[in-house]
Amino acid sequence: MEQQNLYIFNFSKFIFKILISFLIICLIFNYSFEEHVIFKSEISGAFKVNKIINETKATEIPIFGSSRSLRSFVPSLLGENYFNYGIAGTQSNIWLFFLENELSKEKSTPIIINYDLNGLTYSDGDIANYIPNWNKTKGVLKSKGEIYYHVPFVKYFGKFELYSKYLLNNRMNLTKVTDNGGSFEKNVLTSKKFNELVKKRENTKAKFQINNNLNKKLNHLIKSTNREIIFVISPYHESYFKNYQNLNEAEAYLNELNDFKNVRVIDLRNFITDNSMFKNTTHLNYLGAVKFSEHIKNILPQN
């Protein structure tokens, strides 16, 4: 009996050592993968989420928003201190998270928000954007995620290729231009292809919506600070408004925002009319982004 107990004790000790070794290996790989892959691509959402949470640059002027922000603002043309935090696939719940984190910092620079005319709505985008900082981001997401997102390294299973692709795209730039967080398509669509997109857009309904919880949060954040918050409506193709259901409500809401003493609304939705400057009917290509950025540079605060 005594020998059997000794065997069980030794086996338990062996398993414990295995688990500790596995945990140490996971921690090492986790740190290495984050530092050398995930956080080395400035155009990835994961990089931007980590940056807004963990970094503070007193002179930085942030630009928040969806893919329309990502593809409209060329930071280096605006000034040396601008950074584009736009993330594809996201909506107001995410840029409000960025705004909240930005306002927690001891800074005085203005804040730019690319405002989409569909209003204040929820969309998380790719869940991979938030996994590296899961404990600090899960509360703002619609997705509940997975339990293993709390486990170092294991949480990235199935995502390694995605993170690596962002890093390669950021470095190679075969069809895109990257610029302080911004990512812009160099290719110009043929007239035939773009006209197909226009026809599809004209048959697609668009509508302005306001989620009450998001609206309350935005109003609270605006009132909580003296920093200037500038809402910019970057260019849309004219076909976007062909089947827009309640544009008057969208414009009334913009007027409400503009009434806040520390808010300015800059409406440039119709600024670009040249089809060759659009990636599609809601996003600019690099030519369009350059023209837009050079124009708005004279309107935005200078460094």
Side-chain angles (χ1 to χ4, degrees):
M1 182 67 71
E2 194 174 313
Q3 188 174 12
Q4 184 177 1
N5 288 339
L6 181 61
Y7 173 78
I8 293 173
F9 173 76
N10 288 337
F11 182 74
S12 299
K13 191 174 181 180
F14 172 75
I15 292 298
F16 179 74
K17 287 182 178 180
I18 291 293
L19 291 175
I20 291 297
S21 298
F22 176 74
L23 180 59
I24 291 173
I25 291 171
C26 283
L27 288 172
I28 292 172
F29 273 98
N30 187 84
Y31 176 81
S32 180
F33 188 67
E34 287 180 351
E35 291 300 311
H36 299 292
V37 178
I38 297 177
F39 300 147
K40 287 295 183 181
S41 174
E42 69 175 34
I43 61 172
S44 77
F47 174 94
K48 294 176 180 181
V49 169
N50 187 69
K51 179 176 170 63
I52 196 65
I53 292 173
N54 297 311
E55 295 182 20
T56 299
K57 182 180 178 183
T59 58
E60 182 182 85
I61 301 175
I63 305 166
F64 301 142
S66 64
S67 58
R68 285 184 16 86
S69 169
L70 178 69
R71 307 191 195 288
S72 295
F73 295 83
V74 185
S76 65
L77 296 180
L78 301 175
E80 62 179 346
N81 290 320
Y82 283 86
F83 188 85
N84 191 330
Y85 285 92
I87 300 179
T90 64
Q91 281 297 313
S92 314
N93 59 316
I94 303 304
W95 62 251
L96 280 167
F97 169 77
F98 276 77
L99 178 60
E100 185 173 27
N101 275 271
E102 176 67 15
L103 291 177
S104 70
K105 302 173 183 181
E106 294 184 4
K107 294 176 57 177
S108 59
T109 57
I111 298 166
I112 317 299
I113 296 173
N114 184 85
Y115 180 80
D116 294 338
L117 285 173
N118 60 334
L120 298 182
T121 59
Y122 282 88
S123 181
D124 298 340
D126 197 323
I127 196 70
N129 296 331
Y130 315 101
I131 295 175
N133 287 281
W134 186 248
N135 286 334
K136 296 180 180 179
T137 57
K138 60 183 179 180
V140 301
L141 305 176
K142 296 287 283 184
S143 172
K144 300 302 180 185
E146 304 290 345
I147 294 176
Y148 64 83
Y149 287 170
H150 296 278
V151 183
F153 192 66
V154 174
K155 61 186 177 182
Y156 296 127
F157 283 2
K159 306 292 184 183
F160 295 110
E161 183 179 357
L162 175 66
Y163 291 122
S164 300
K165 183 181 73 173
Y166 271 117
L167 180 63
L168 289 174
N169 288 342
N170 190 73
R171 291 182 174 178
M172 296 178 68
N173 288 332
L174 296 178
T175 63
K176 296 182 184 296
V177 174
T178 59
D179 186 312
N180 290 335
S183 180
F184 313 94
E185 182 64 51
K186 291 190 286 189
N187 294 338
V188 177
L189 293 179
T190 64
S191 296
K192 180 181 178 181
K193 179 60 178 177
F194 191 77
N195 287 335
E196 290 174 359
L197 295 177
V198 169
K199 186 175 181 180
K200 182 178 180 180
R201 173 61 62 183
E202 289 178 340
N203 291 315
T204 303
K205 292 182 179 180
K207 185 178 181 180
F208 172 77
Q209 301 176 75
I210 288 290
N211 177 277
N212 288 332
N213 290 331
L214 295 178
N215 190 40
K216 288 177 182 178
K217 185 171 184 178
L218 176 57
N219 289 341
H220 169 74
L221 291 174
I222 291 174
K223 293 174 182 178
S224 72
T225 183
N226 291 320
R227 291 175 68 179
E228 183 180 24
I229 301 175
I230 303 170
F231 290 87
V232 179
I233 298 90
S234 58
Y236 287 88
H237 188 263
E238 59 183 357
S239 60
Y240 177 78
F241 302 101
K242 184 78 173 181
N243 212 354
Y244 198 103
Q245 303 298 294
N246 55 344
L247 190 57
N248 59 323
E249 293 181 30
E251 291 172 341
Y253 185 75
L254 288 174
N255 289 333
E256 289 180 19
L257 287 177
N258 213 25
D259 285 339
F260 286 101
K261 63 179 182 179
N262 58 328
V263 167
R264 181 158 45 122
V265 174
I266 301 174
D267 189 350
L268 292 172
R269 75 183 90 166
N270 299 315
F271 174 67
I272 291 181
T273 58
D274 186 342
N275 289 355
S276 68
M277 293 189 173
F278 284 92
K279 177 181 183 291
N280 53 42
T281 56
T282 55
H283 298 82
L284 301 174
N285 59 25
Y286 185 56
L287 292 175
V290 168
K291 181 176 180 179
F292 169 71
S293 298
E294 288 178 340
H295 174 75
I296 202 171
K297 176 183 179 179
N298 299 317
I299 305 173
L300 295 177
Q302 298 302 301
N303 302 120

